[in-house]
Amino acid sequence: MTEQKPILVVAGIIRQGDSILICQRPRTDAYGLQWEFPGGKVEDGESLPTALGRELEEELGIQAGVGAEVFRLRHHYADRYVEVAFFAITKMSGEVRNRVFASVEWVPRARLPEYNFLEADRELVVRISKGELV
């Protein structure tokens, strides 16, 4: 049996001081009301940084300087297989405006594990909360 190809997704880790921007999926989405880092699917022919810049503009109305990739994972959910590349956002312009989420919050890194994150993001959340990444 051949392994299914993962859906390629990008996500940004946006920091302001010691706080990280996190987003709550809309109630009606798959995995509704769980928390995640902003981002989305990479379209055919897009580079990962270009895809992340587009997603951050669409979801939050910001223009972002996409820095280095800081973490990558693959995760099997019951209904999908994803590969997520996480990037540090080195700068942003514009004010964060919630365009698609149930909620958007700036959270001190140490408090991140208190939120109900998507299963795939949980290892990263713990590492960021301990100051190991970003």
Side-chain angles (χ1 to χ4, degrees), residues 58-123:
E58 290 172 3
E59 295 178 346
L60 300 171
I62 60 171
Q63 292 73 49
V66 178
E69 183 176 325
V70 295
F71 196 73
R72 188 179 287 232
L73 61 84
R74 286 185 174 198
H75 187 80
H76 286 274
Y77 286 99
D79 63 340
R80 66 189 78 178
Y81 177 39
V82 295
E83 179 174 352
V84 187
F86 295 88
F87 290 83
I89 301 304
T90 56
K91 62 182 176 183
M92 72 173 196
S93 59
E95 191 169 321
V96 171
R97 294 184 313 273
N98 181 3
R99 293 181 165 173
V100 298
F101 297 103
S103 185
V104 172
E105 291 186 27
W106 289 99
V107 177
R109 72 171 56 232
R111 291 196 46 229
L112 289 173
E114 298 172 18
Y115 289 77
N116 181 23
F117 272 86
L118 291 171
E119 190 176 329
D121 293 356
R122 291 178 187 163
E123 178 188 348

